[in-house]
Amino acid sequence: KDKSFNQGTYDGVKLYANANSKSYKYYKPANGDKATDDDRYDAMKAAVDNGAEVVVAAGFLQGAALEKAAKEFTDTKFVFIDGSPVDGVTNLAAISFREEQCGYLAGYAAVMEGYTKLGFCGGGGGTNDACCRYGYGYVQGAEAAAAEKNVKVEMNYTWKYGESFQPSAELQTLASGWYKNGTEVIFSCGGSIFDSITAAASANDAAVIGVDVDQSYTSDTVITSALKGIGEAAYLALTAAYDGTWAENYGNQCVTMGAAQGAVGLPVDTWSLENWCVEEYEDMFQKIVSGEIDRKSV
């Protein structure tokens, strides 16, 4: 229930299961945000022991436990969202995204909307590749819009207090300090740290950019969200697990999804942007699809 990455992935699992008369269950590793690799493995083993045919795991922290479980339980398929494949492990599918593309769109949109004092709060302590890609794109998009408008843009950024992807009083205090000192909008990129950022924004009549899923429904501070199709990715991988296309399209591979696959973008139906129109967004999106705009993650 993080209103973001984990919940979005689980929603894809539920959607597939309900559409195909499959049962599903959420297994939470012991010890919460202090969970170890052993805790994660134990949760996966419990799923397999209870008859799971496919196990979907979200987030790079699952990597070591997933490798161990996939090698041990070869009759079970494993889907690793935001992860990497393991050589020779054909029952493990890894799916990653081009987060820099929707991060770019978010940064560009913020500056085109008129914001010139931006912030970025990232999860994972700077070691999470997906959050880093979001951040790279965000800065590059803001830079491109600033050049187009001939304005100066300031950027605050931090990975502090976001290591566990959990909300904290310390992060809320940090974000509130930014807002009080002039920051107008913060890109909250790290799961449940979103709660700390929106609380700070609400207290300071400021703005937030959400991440992974459309977070506009959770707070009126959200002006837009950088989306990636995590639920859709889980749904597609589960489909392949049952329709005979797993070996060809997913097994022992890393499937990368971006604008060209319709897997990243901004939610034009719910954003509150007034100075950058949908037509301009769609034009830029197509330039990303075609490669005319090509922002790398490093």
Side-chain angles (χ1 to χ4, degrees):
K1 299 184 182 298
D2 63 355
K3 309 170 192 173
S4 184
F5 178 69
N6 292 283
Q7 187 171 340
T9 303
Y10 189 48
D11 285 346
V13 174
K14 292 193 294 183
L15 187 65
Y16 178 85
N18 290 329
N20 293 276
S21 301
K22 301 290 185 182
S23 63
Y24 60 91
K25 183 177 179 179
Y26 169 52
Y27 289 82
K28 184 177 182 178
N31 298 312
D33 61 359
K34 301 295 192 297
T36 65
D37 290 335
D38 287 340
D39 293 329
R40 298 183 187 97
Y41 167 81
D42 288 344
M44 296 174 197
K45 183 178 185 301
V48 175
D49 288 345
N50 286 330
E53 298 165 325
V54 188
V55 174
V56 179
F60 78 118
L61 292 173
Q62 305 275 10
L66 264 176
E67 179 174 355
K68 179 180 178 181
K71 287 180 176 178
E72 181 174 349
F73 306 115
T74 56
D75 291 334
T76 303
K77 293 181 173 64
F78 293 83
V79 179
F80 191 3
I81 304 292
D82 269 8
S84 302
V86 177
D87 286 345
V89 181
T90 58
N91 61 324
L92 174 66
I95 302 173
S96 64
F97 297 85
R98 295 201 62 184
E99 290 92 353
E100 72 277 6
Q101 293 180 334
C102 53
Y104 180 92
L105 289 164
Y108 188 93
V111 175
M112 295 304 289
E113 184 66 6
Y115 297 111
T116 58
K117 299 181 185 299
L118 279 57
F120 173 86
C121 286
T127 63
N128 180 280
D129 289 341
C131 291
C132 290
R133 289 192 291 267
Y134 274 127
Y136 291 138
Y138 181 60
V139 171
Q140 293 173 37
E143 181 182 44
E148 185 173 327
K149 295 183 69 176
N150 194 28
V151 297
K152 180 181 178 181
V153 171
E154 299 176 13
M155 181 76 69
N156 282 322
Y157 64 92
T158 186
W159 300 97
K160 196 172 184 180
Y161 306 125
E163 292 89 343
S164 69
F165 299 93
Q166 298 300 310
S168 68
E170 293 84 359
L171 181 57
Q172 183 175 332
T173 298
L174 184 152
S176 187
W178 282 6
Y179 284 131
K180 290 181 186 302
N181 287 321
T183 295
E184 298 161 313
V185 59
I186 295 175
F187 183 16
S188 173
C189 182
S192 293
I193 69 172
F194 173 80
D195 292 338
S196 296
I197 306 305
T198 54
S202 294
N204 291 277
D205 194 25
V208 175
I209 296 172
V211 76
D212 290 336
V213 299
D214 182 359
Q215 296 187 304
S216 61
Y217 74 96
T218 65
S219 172
D220 58 10
T221 65
V222 176
I223 59 169
T224 190
S225 301
L227 308 179
K228 65 181 185 182
I230 44 181
E232 294 87 344
Y235 191 102
L236 291 171
L238 287 166
T239 300
Y242 288 101
D243 72 2
T245 61
W246 175 275
E248 178 183 358
N249 296 324
Y250 285 94
N252 195 30
Q253 300 180 44
C254 184
V255 177
T256 301
M257 304 177 70
Q261 293 76 34
V264 299
L266 304 182
V268 297
D269 291 336
T270 60
W271 74 18
S272 61
L273 305 178
E274 298 178 352
N275 299 320
W276 196 44
C277 70
V278 173
E279 290 76 13
E280 291 171 317
Y281 162 79
E282 290 176 344
D283 179 64
M284 174 166 283
F285 186 88
Q286 289 305 315
K287 289 178 179 178
I288 294 175
V289 170
S290 69
E292 183 177 343
I293 296 176
D294 186 13
R295 287 298 181 262
K296 304 297 186 183
S297 61
V298 292

